[in-house]
Amino acid sequence: MAAPRRDTRGIVDATELFSRVHFRRREPAPPLRPYLEHYWLIDWDLPQPYASHVVPHPSVNIVFQKYAGQDPFSEVAGIGLDLFTQKLEGRGRVCGIQFRPGGFRPFAPERPVTSLTGQRIRLPEVLPGSTGAIEAVLTPDDEEARVAALDAFLLSLNPRPDPQADLAMTLVDQIRGDRTIRQVGDFAHAQGMTVRSLQRLFAAYVGVGPKWIILRYRIHEALEQAETSHPVDWAGLAADLGYADQAHLVRDFTSTVGVPPSAYARGVR
C-alpha cells in the first residue's frame, strides 16, 4: 500500500474545512495495510458552530468520536448513500479508520457488508468486546499514541485472510483507477465473471454494487475539479468521465451534492 492519499475527493469545500479543523491522515501498521486506506484524525476548537459535508467513499469506517457536551462513543459507519453532514462546535476530536472497499469483511467475517450500508451502528454491536478501545484512542493528546491505539485495537481483532475480500479490493481499485470502466457487463466479462456473480461479491464484501461505485467515483472526480481555481470545461469532463452528455453529469452532481457543479464551483471560489 502506498502512503495515505493526499487528494480531497469526497470533501465538500475542503479548503473551508481545513481552515477550521486540524485534519490529517496516518498510515496503519504494516500488517493492517492490505485492508485499510488510512486512519484519519480531526481535532477542532471552534468559536462558532460549523457544518462539514462529505460525499462518502464506498468504504466502511470505524469512528471514535468526542463532541462537546457528549460522552465519547464509537460506531461502525457503513457506506453512506447520501451526502453526510456533521455539525462541529466547541472542542472535539474524531479518530477514524477508513477501510479499503472490501477490506472490512475480514474483521467481521460473519456479517455481509451490505447489512451495514446506510447504517451507523455502535461499535460493540458489530464487534463485541471493543468498548475499551474508546478511551485508549480518544484520550491521548499525543498523535502517535492515538495511532498506536488504533493499531492495537485492529490487530487484536485478528483479521482472517480471505481470497474473496482480496478479489473485491482489487476490482474496486481497478474501477477507481480506470476511467474506461463504464459498463458493469463489460467489466464483469473482462474479469471472467457474470454480472450476477460480480454483484453478489460486491454485496457481501463491499456493501454496494459495481454500478454505484462507478458513478460515485465520477462524482468524486467532478467535485475535486470544481474545487480548483481554474474554470472547468464541464462538457469535456463529462465526456472524460463517461457520461453521455453534460446534462447527465449535472444531474448526478446536483442530486448528490445539492447544487449544480457550476454553481458549486462559483461558491467555492
Side-chain angles (χ1 to χ4, degrees):
M1 172 182 159
R5 69 175 195 273
R6 302 180 66 85
D7 64 72
T8 61
R9 293 186 179 184
I11 302 174
V12 176
D13 201 349
T15 301
E16 179 72 8
L17 174 67
F18 295 162
S19 73
R20 293 175 180 267
V21 307
H22 183 205
F23 175 92
R24 57 268 193 222
R25 297 184 177 114
R26 294 293 304 268
E27 192 173 36
L32 298 168
R33 293 173 193 170
Y35 309 104
L36 270 60
E37 296 275 6
H38 51 251
Y39 300 140
W40 50 277
L41 311 178
I42 304 178
D43 295 270
W44 65 89
D45 187 356
L46 298 170
Q48 300 292 333
Y50 169 72
S52 65
H53 307 280
V54 175
V55 177
H57 287 256
S59 298
V60 174
N61 284 259
I62 293 177
V63 192
F64 297 87
Q65 303 168 71
K66 182 165 63 175
Y67 300 101
Q70 299 183 37
D71 292 332
F73 66 99
S74 57
E75 61 186 2
V76 176
I79 295 173
L81 301 178
D82 302 309
L83 185 70
F84 175 72
T85 298
Q86 178 65 59
K87 183 179 179 181
L88 307 177
E89 55 187 334
R91 296 186 64 184
R93 171 176 295 167
V94 172
C95 300
I97 302 165
Q98 183 174 332
F99 292 84
R100 293 177 61 191
F104 180 75
R105 183 71 183 268
F107 294 83
E110 305 304 320
R111 187 157 193 159
V113 180
T114 191
S115 69
L116 302 171
T117 300
Q119 306 292 317
R120 299 181 73 87
I121 305 171
R122 291 300 170 105
L123 180 59
E125 296 180 34
V126 181
L127 299 171
S130 58
T131 53
I134 296 176
E135 183 176 356
V137 170
L138 289 173
T139 300
D141 287 327
D142 178 66
E143 186 173 314
E144 298 299 330
R146 280 183 254 170
V147 171
L150 291 169
D151 283 340
F153 162 66
L154 288 177
L155 290 170
S156 73
L157 299 176
N158 191 28
R160 304 178 189 177
D162 184 337
Q164 290 295 96
D166 294 341
L167 175 60
M169 289 187 280
T170 297
L171 294 179
V172 175
D173 281 347
Q174 288 185 36
I175 293 172
R176 175 161 48 184
D178 186 350
R179 284 185 179 181
T180 67
I181 297 173
R182 298 172 179 176
Q183 301 296 325
V184 174
D186 294 342
F187 182 58
H189 179 74
Q191 308 304 319
M193 304 173 69
T194 66
V195 170
R196 183 61 187 144
S197 63
L198 181 65
Q199 291 171 333
R200 284 198 300 266
L201 175 69
F202 274 49
Y205 285 86
V206 182
V208 291
K211 182 63 173 179
W212 189 94
I213 292 176
I214 292 170
L215 293 174
R216 180 50 52 95
Y217 281 142
R218 286 175 175 177
I219 294 301
H220 278 174
E221 184 156 352
L223 186 65
E224 188 174 49
Q225 289 292 323
E227 297 255 357
T228 62
S229 59
H230 58 78
V232 179
D233 175 6
W234 294 109
L237 180 61
D240 287 346
L241 295 178
Y243 283 96
D245 53 38
Q246 182 178 343
H248 284 79
L249 169 59
V250 171
R251 180 196 62 199
D252 283 354
F253 190 102
T254 304
S255 65
T256 304
V257 180
V259 295
S262 57
Y264 176 81
R266 288 195 300 271
V268 169
R269 296 191 189 111

